[in-house]
Amino acid sequence: MTNLVWLITGCSSGFGELFVRQLTAEGDRVVATGRDAETRLAHLKETGAAILDLDVTLPQAEIEKKFKEAWDIYGTIDVLVNNAGYIQCGALEEISQEELQRSFDTMVHGPINLTRAALPYFRQRGSGWLLYMNSQSGFVGEPGATAYCASKFAIEGAVESLSKELAWLAPGIKPLIVESGIHGTEVMAKIQHVPSRVPFWEPLNEAARVRSRGNYENPAGSAPDMVSKVIQIVKGTGIAAGRDIPLRIPFGSHCLSEMRKKIEQLQKTYDDWESVAISTDLEEGKIPMPRLPDEK
């Protein structure tokens, strides 16, 4: 397969760094980005990747300038990998509005702004991949992880809507949400815990700290293996050969187990409350807007 050009955010460590190293080893061209790139991405220069300073929390206009700068390096971009992020722990009552906003700026507005910047280029060419490195926390809420889960849930909803918009009018552009369980990366060692602001929640906070240390010291999954498989999915090789690619793909048995558990709970709720749910229906056949192609 022809080698691709990738733009990747959050490359200082973790999944981002792994993408850069694996892709350049395969002969693909990469624009590796991050904040304070000259310093924080210096260890990636040996890979041959282009290094670009990019803070995903910049305003839309600045993001668009940065995307064009990245595009102009190789004259194209085939795959945008929205990977930048961090984990902020703390109970809902203790998380401040400012802390919640920082999570949304990085993991919701950042990817959405970059997507807006990429779409005109991808539409003109008629193709492109939009990857969102997400988490099981985008489907299953976790105690003590309000800010992280809220932002991950939000980007799931935004990208699901985007996928239906693209399927209708730009089917050559493919979004993919990677729902990762616990894999061994440095992000688990960099979790930010809010100060103890409400004594009532201290047992929860301490449990979150213990869980974080355990996840870092004994991860459940191989991060390099996961990144390798995501690359195969984009290229249609290996595990992805001959398969249709869905909007979401989970990684990790614990992730899959937690998601299935929630689906079972939801199904039971919908079955138990079906009669109540349909009791508010008005007369059938009234459609508030034209049906989209994927609607039955």
Side-chain angles (χ1 to χ4, degrees), residues 88-108:
Q88 173 82 70
C89 279
L92 185 146
E93 187 179 356
E94 294 184 302
I95 291 284
S96 69
Q97 182 175 341
E98 293 74 21
E99 288 163 336
L100 184 59
Q101 186 65 53
R102 281 198 292 274
S103 290
F104 270 72
D105 287 343
T106 301
M107 293 180 286
V108 181

Side-chain angles (χ1 to χ4, degrees), residues 216-237:
Y216 176 65
E217 294 167 0
N218 186 31
S222 166
D225 188 33
M226 194 196 89
V227 167
S228 174
K229 287 182 168 64
V230 173
I231 293 170
Q232 292 171 39
I233 289 165
V234 171
K235 294 188 174 187
T237 61

Side-chain angles (χ1 to χ4, degrees), residues 37-271:
E38 277 301 310
T39 300
R40 299 182 67 187
L41 302 188
H43 60 297
L44 294 178
K45 291 181 179 179
E46 62 174 329
T47 67
I51 305 299
L52 180 66
D53 193 85
L54 172 59
D55 180 349
V56 299
T57 66
L58 288 170
Q60 180 72 59
E62 294 300 312
I63 290 290
E64 290 173 2
K65 290 178 183 177
K66 284 291 185 179
F67 187 87
K68 184 180 186 304
E69 187 177 345
W71 182 279
D72 288 344
I73 292 172
Y74 297 117
T76 191
I77 292 169
D78 299 299
V79 188
L80 168 62
V81 182
N82 290 287
N83 173 69
Y86 70 98
I87 302 176
Q88 173 82 70
C89 279
L92 185 146
E93 187 179 356
E94 294 184 302
I95 291 284
S96 69
Q97 182 175 341
E98 293 74 21
E99 288 163 336
L100 184 59
Q101 186 65 53
R102 281 198 292 274
S103 290
F104 270 72
D105 287 343
T106 301
M107 293 180 286
V108 181
H109 296 299
I112 288 175
N113 287 343
L114 271 165
T115 299
R116 290 195 193 102
L119 281 173
Y121 293 84
F122 286 3
R123 280 202 311 273
Q124 184 174 17
R125 189 178 58 203
S127 65
W129 280 82
L130 298 164
L131 267 60
Y132 304 85
M133 299 302 291
N134 216 40
S135 163
Q136 70 184 54
S137 297
F139 186 69
V140 181
E142 300 284 351
T146 296
Y148 188 69
C149 292
S151 60
K152 292 299 188 181
F153 265 69
I155 197 65
E156 287 260 350
V159 176
E160 183 171 317
S161 295
L162 171 67
S163 73
K164 295 179 179 181
E165 294 163 358
L166 293 173
W168 193 14
L169 295 173
I173 302 173
K174 173 61 181 173
L176 173 65
I177 302 171
V178 177
E179 297 176 322
S180 170
I182 304 299
H183 289 73
T185 71
E186 289 302 306
V187 70
M188 300 309 300
K190 300 176 182 177
I191 292 176
Q192 301 183 42
H193 296 270
V194 301
S196 182
R197 293 167 176 154
V198 181
F200 177 83
W201 297 112
E202 184 51 38
L204 175 65
N205 292 330
E206 180 55 30
R209 295 185 192 100
V210 170
R211 181 178 62 180
S212 299
R213 288 194 296 271
N215 287 338
Y216 176 65
E217 294 167 0
N218 186 31
S222 166
D225 188 33
M226 194 196 89
V227 167
S228 174
K229 287 182 168 64
V230 173
I231 293 170
Q232 292 171 39
I233 289 165
V234 171
K235 294 188 174 187
T237 61
I239 62 163
R243 304 180 72 171
D244 292 331
I245 306 303
L247 172 62
R248 299 173 172 87
I249 299 179
F251 284 90
S253 57
H254 178 72
C255 168
L256 197 60
S257 173
E258 289 299 301
M259 289 179 164
R260 282 176 167 158
K261 186 187 303 182
K262 179 171 178 177
I263 290 169
E264 291 171 1
Q265 293 169 343
L266 288 171
Q267 188 63 58
K268 184 176 187 306
T269 297
Y270 300 152
D271 290 343

